[in-house]
Amino acid sequence: MARFELKLPKMGESVAEATITNWLKEVGDKIEADEAVLEIATDKVDSEVPSEVSGILVEQLFGKDDLVQVGQTIAIIETEGGDAPAAQSTVETAAPAEAIEIEKTIEAVKEASSVPQDFAGSDKFFSPLVKNIAKEEGVSVAELDNIQGSGKDGRVTKDDILKYIEDRKSGAVQAPKVAEEAPKTVVETPKTVQTPQPAVQKSQQAVPVSVNGGDEIIEMDRMRKLISGYMVASVQTSAHVQSFIEVDVTNIVKWRDKVKTAFEKREGEKLTFTPIMMEAVAKALKDFPGMNISVDGDYIIKKKNINLGMAAALPNGNLIVPVIKNADQLNLVGMAKAVNDLGNRAKAGKLKPDDTQGGTYTVTNVGTFGSVFGTPIINQPQVGILALGAIRKVPAVIETPEGDFIGIRQKMFLSHSYDHRVVDGALGGSFVKRVAEYLEAFDVDRDF
């Protein structure tokens, strides 16, 4: 038998860690090569980690909701024969002293599950590994609450609890004394009933109560919590200001109606309005590079590449922003393929972490949901975002050499939000006006 270390794979240049959201395989399960073992989440996308080998899952080194660094071993798979990729167990590759420590930790994970201990009384999150070590070493929940964690957001890690245990054995720290007698809940006189107040207050905070019994209380999912944090942080960071402009896109509507069937037949892709709009935005960013920047403290970073973020709604109602890299270098066919590919993979939950990285400017299509215009929030650390409104048939004044008359035109609103810390009204307004000019000057005789 050979032991293969399943590691958290590299997921992009800017992605250094991920959170385990679900184990798809349990200890003892058989795994085929390329079969998904667990699900992970970065701050942008969710994905699966497949096994490189066939075998039996013998160890899970992290639990659900644990934060794992890229390259860390997350599981051990036992394979038959010696054909597994060269990898040794954690204990075998460690230094002698470290091996003993890790072996002790693994034994604690295996054997301590039978030791009863209630962690429900704590408001902190503890990984399964930390809980099992605590059970094995007799560390109370009160002691865990007092340990200063070195992990993300103060989370107690394996090293933290092992150090605490060493300090406790050496006398450097003392475990809190347990009261000899539990507090009485009722006194002898019938007038007063006494209850342990801290425990009551904690339970009241932990469990929301519906006043009328008809309301449903639902906790935000992980992605919604992230989006919520990003949106609040963006509003608190950037001085948002908006410019609006109405655009006549009659020529674009007519051209698309004329060529969309031939386009799909030749290219195997549907032609929507989005790539046409993206093409105009990319051209305008080349004309106004001051919009293709980001802010880092007191510094402005001018971006070399034009990478367009494309806000997309997910089936569960959440939002994600995949990025079209080097959008200014794509023709309309290339843009349509990129838009369709990212949009389809976003809906299917198949985006990779790199697909959402490196954006320099973002476009969101609020018209998809019937909105005429909107005031979108900037995708930090970018300085602008453009909202595309719904295309509508409206009566309009048409100017001709013979005079003005009223006609039916296809029009839409462009809503431009920009960061007034670094983008003034002249630049913000001129940029969105240039986008409108490119759209209104669309060549109805162009090829695709």
Side-chain angles (χ1 to χ4, degrees), residues 111-123:
E111 299 175 3
S113 58
S114 60
V115 180
Q117 191 165 2
D118 182 16
F119 291 90
S122 175
D123 291 330

Side-chain angles (χ1 to χ4, degrees), residues 41 43 66 132 156 167 179 283 308 327 350 381 433 442-443:
D43 62 343
D66 278 358
N132 284 323
V156 177
D167 291 344
K283 289 180 180 179
L308 289 183
K350 299 297 184 182
K433 185 173 183 291
F442 189 87
D443 183 5

Side-chain angles (χ1 to χ4, degrees), residues 5 7 61 72-73 89-107 133 158-159 162 166:
E5 293 183 356
K7 299 178 183 292
L61 301 183
Q72 272 191 296
T73 301
S89 71
T90 308
V91 175
E92 293 170 340
T93 57
E98 186 182 357
I100 296 172
E101 178 108 338
I102 296 173
E103 197 166 37
K104 179 180 177 182
T105 301
I106 294 173
E107 287 301 316
I133 296 173
K158 180 198 74 174
D159 293 336
L162 291 176
E166 290 178 3

Side-chain angles (χ1 to χ4, degrees), residues 229-351:
Y230 292 149
M231 296 299 99
V232 172
S234 181
V235 172
Q236 292 175 341
T237 300
S238 296
H240 282 63
V241 66
Q242 284 83 27
S243 293
F244 307 92
I245 191 166
E246 191 175 27
V247 190
D248 189 330
V249 292
T250 305
N251 287 344
I252 292 175
V253 173
K254 289 181 177 179
W255 180 82
R256 176 181 172 272
D257 288 342
K258 180 178 67 175
V259 305
K260 63 181 181 181
T261 301
F263 184 94
E264 185 173 3
K265 184 177 180 180
R266 192 184 86 177
E267 302 297 336
E269 299 280 350
K270 290 186 180 297
L271 179 62
T272 65
F273 289 110
T274 301
I276 301 173
M277 306 295 172
M278 289 292 198
E279 182 185 56
V281 172
K283 289 180 180 179
L285 285 171
K286 290 191 73 172
D287 296 341
F288 294 93
M291 287 305 311
N292 198 54
I293 65 174
S294 65
V295 178
D296 184 5
D298 294 331
Y299 295 91
I300 295 173
I301 302 171
K302 294 182 177 180
K303 298 293 185 177
K304 177 182 178 181
N305 299 325
I306 295 176
N307 300 331
L308 289 183
M310 181 184 75
L314 298 174
N316 61 4
N318 287 328
L319 186 72
I320 197 165
V321 185
V323 177
I324 302 171
K325 307 292 175 59
N326 298 309
D328 58 313
Q329 298 178 22
L330 298 176
N331 59 17
L332 188 58
V333 172
M335 189 74 77
K337 289 181 181 292
V339 167
N340 292 342
D341 173 57
L342 292 174
N344 292 335
R345 287 197 285 124
K347 292 177 183 177
K350 299 297 184 182
L351 288 174

